[in-house]
Every structure is written in C-alpha cells, then in structure tokens.
Amino acid sequence: MGAPAPLVPRPVGEGFPDGGLDPPEAGGPPQLWVVRADAYAVGPDAARLLAGEQTARRSRFAHATDRHRYTVAHVVLRRLLGAYLGQDPAGVALVRLPCERCGRPGGRPALRGTDLHFSLSHSGELALYAFARAPVGVDVEAAPPPGTAGELAAMLHPRERAELAALPPAERGEAFLRCWTRKEACLKGSGAGLTHGIEEPWVGGGRVPGAVAGWRLADVRTLAGYRAAVAVSAR
C-alpha cells in the first residue's frame, strides 16, 4: 500500500466567508482552510478585527509584506471563527489556555463556551487553518534554506535523527520538513508548543506519518515549496 493521500484545504478568497459555515462533525476529520496572503486584500475593517496584542505585534514588522501577511492570517482567522459561530468576527473572544505540560501561561489559543477548536499556522505567503470538535494543531512551513536539516536535526527524536542520517543528502531536506511539520502540529494541538523541546513525540519523516498515541496525524497538501500537517486529538 502507498502513502495515504494528503488532506486538501479549501482556499479562502477575497470577501470569503460571507455567510455561516457548518461546523466540523464530532469525531470527524478537521476542516482545513488556506489563504495566500499576497493575493488577499484585508479591507477597511481589518483594524477592528485585530486584538490589541496583535496590533502591537503587527507594528513591529519592519517590512510591509510581513505586516500584510500577519494581518491577513489573523483577520481571516477572525472571519472564519465568526462564520462558524454565527457572530460578528470582531466580537469573538479568544483566550490562551495554560501550557498542558507545565501549567504556565502560553498554551494554545481557544474559545470559551463552545466545543469548537482551532489552530492557525502561517509561513511565507500561506496561512493554514484547522477547525475540529477536539483539540487540533496545524503547521505549515516554507522550505528552509539548504543545510537547515543538518543544523536542526539534533533537536529531533533519536529515531528520526537516524532516519535522516540514513537518507541520501538530496532527500534529507524534504524528510526533515515532513517530520518538523508533523511534530509541530502535534505539539500545537496538545498546547505544549516548542518551549519544552521538539524531541517527542516520534512522528517520522517518511512518506507515511508515524502513529502518535492519542492523535490522528495527517499530511496536508499545499503549494509547491511548502509542507504542512495536522493533528487532531483522538482521546
């Protein structure tokens, strides 16, 4: 049997969503959306859709392209959440849960009073979103500069390091990126993030994602030059 087909996100175009969205089914696959920020105009209501901390962070980007991409990523998130919840996007209240490993602030973002879970990741011009009825994490990464796999491989699980070392040099970058996005998706879904290291869990860098206890892990198809993955809690 070959590798499972990657999940395919639905594109977000200008002016979308302009109505309600049906929420994902409990126990079902996540609903995935992707936006190309460089082709998306945020519109005049962008400022009111950004929270105070997002406005402050946006202002710290030195380049207009980076500011625009950050703005699009978070404005579209608000619009999608508003469409799922049937609310004004500006009125959607987001909270940040404690880290599930250490209990300190800085865990995954969440909504109060609903069983809708979400995750956002952005890299380069792409922003990728996942929505589910269970904790979910998503990650997208633009292909890094040559040599990155060798520099960061020491952070991975010993089994993953051995897998990469056994590959021809020309194949290591792609395998590393598969491994990294799968791992980040799991860590974001659990609320641990990268602050506690990225060695665990083992997810593998091969064409088939490794089995992670308590999670449904899948690759996501995006543009050439990007890799992505999503993880949904199966507990």
Side-chain angles (χ1 to χ4, degrees), residues 8-217:
V8 180
R10 289 178 283 181
V12 175
E14 282 191 45
F16 183 86
D18 56 2
L21 293 174
D22 293 329
E25 296 181 1
Q31 292 186 3
L32 301 172
W33 301 87
V34 66
V35 62
R36 297 185 66 168
D38 295 354
Y40 188 95
V42 292
D45 65 340
R48 78 182 188 94
L49 297 183
L50 295 178
E53 64 183 60
Q54 294 167 344
T55 300
R57 185 172 180 183
R58 175 184 180 274
S59 68
R60 291 196 289 268
F61 287 103
H63 300 289
T65 296
D66 295 330
R67 287 196 300 272
H68 175 74
R69 289 173 173 177
Y70 178 86
T71 301
V72 169
H74 291 275
V75 164
V76 169
L77 173 63
R78 288 276 184 170
R79 289 175 175 164
L80 287 168
L81 287 171
Y84 276 116
L85 299 173
Q87 298 180 15
D88 179 350
V92 174
L94 303 180
V95 298
R96 190 168 286 277
L97 302 177
C99 173
E100 294 191 13
R101 288 194 185 180
C102 65
R104 295 178 180 176
R108 61 187 177 87
L111 301 160
R112 291 199 188 279
T114 175
D115 63 353
L116 180 68
H117 298 260
F118 69 93
S119 182
L120 158 65
S121 177
H122 52 97
S123 180
E125 71 162 317
L126 290 190
L128 182 63
Y129 309 84
F131 299 86
R133 298 280 288 279
V136 61
V138 73
D139 187 56
V140 61
E141 301 286 347
T148 301
E151 295 172 2
L152 299 181
M155 301 171 64
L156 302 178
H157 189 281
R159 184 175 169 186
E160 291 161 347
R161 297 201 299 268
E163 291 171 352
L164 291 175
L167 291 173
E171 297 179 18
R172 289 175 189 164
E174 181 72 7
F176 171 81
L177 205 53
R178 283 195 295 258
C179 180
W180 189 273
T181 54
R182 293 167 183 171
K183 198 175 290 274
E184 272 221 55
C186 289
L187 292 173
K188 289 174 70 174
S190 70
L194 303 181
T195 57
H196 296 283
I198 200 166
E199 182 172 307
E200 297 288 347
W202 173 80
V203 296
R207 295 179 63 231
V208 179
V212 179
W215 293 90
R216 290 180 284 133
L217 179 60

